[in-house]
Amino acid sequence: MLAAVVCEALFTVYGQRVSGSLSPLATSFWVNALALVMFLPGAAVEAVGFDWGTISAGGWLAILYGGLGASALAYVLWYAGLARLGAAQAAPHTAMMPLAAVALDGARAIPIDRDSTPRAMIDRDFMICILEESIRKGKGESR
């Protein structure tokens, strides 16, 4: 989880640099185009033997929503906010994605169960502390 937060932070810092010269829509386009290039080889291997007829209409709508809503629109909004706020103010929000992924993973990561290793719990608690401290600093509070 710590690696995910570091990658998100780097993504935000470099995104701010790029968003200064490109519009949020253009930045979102290039991020998604780069992701397409990165994921296409693996997707092509998986697609060879896949039976596309097994995907229901609801499944195709979910794919469309994921592509347009969760990827395209979300990144346009993210880069618009990043251009206005800057990386330092946006940083606490980058920690929310991996924390939300852990918290929403079938609600399994919060209570102790078979998947909650001590390392996962330490990572989660560490990220919550970082997020809390970032929010405090943003409000001008000190410990």
Side-chain angles (χ1 to χ4, degrees):
M1 182 154 62
L2 184 58
V5 173
V6 169
C7 289
E8 283 294 323
L10 290 172
F11 183 73
T12 300
V13 169
Y14 289 117
Q16 182 186 14
R17 288 183 184 173
V18 171
S19 65
S21 59
L22 296 174
S23 71
L25 183 62
T27 306
S28 178
F29 170 80
W30 286 111
V31 165
N32 281 286
L34 180 61
L36 174 69
V37 170
M38 290 170 49
F39 284 99
L40 196 57
V45 170
E46 292 292 323
V48 170
F50 188 76
D51 182 9
W52 294 94
T54 61
I55 302 176
S56 67
W60 284 111
L61 286 174
I63 292 169
L64 183 65
Y65 169 76
L68 294 177
S71 290
L73 180 60
Y75 278 123
V76 169
L77 294 173
W78 172 251
Y79 286 115
L82 186 60
R84 290 183 183 173
L85 293 176
Q89 288 180 309
H93 302 286
T94 64
M96 291 305 293
M97 193 178 312
L99 283 173
V102 168
L104 298 174
D105 182 26
R108 296 182 313 183
I110 301 305
I112 296 175
D113 66 33
R114 62 180 169 77
D115 293 326
S116 293
T117 64
R119 173 63 190 253
M121 290 186 288
I122 290 169
D123 286 350
R124 183 197 64 229
D125 293 343
F126 180 65
M127 294 317 311
I128 290 170
C129 290
I130 289 174
L131 181 61
E132 182 182 336
E133 188 64 24
S134 297
I135 291 169
R136 279 191 184 156
K137 285 183 180 180
K139 291 181 177 180
E141 299 174 10
S142 61
R143 239 181 212 258

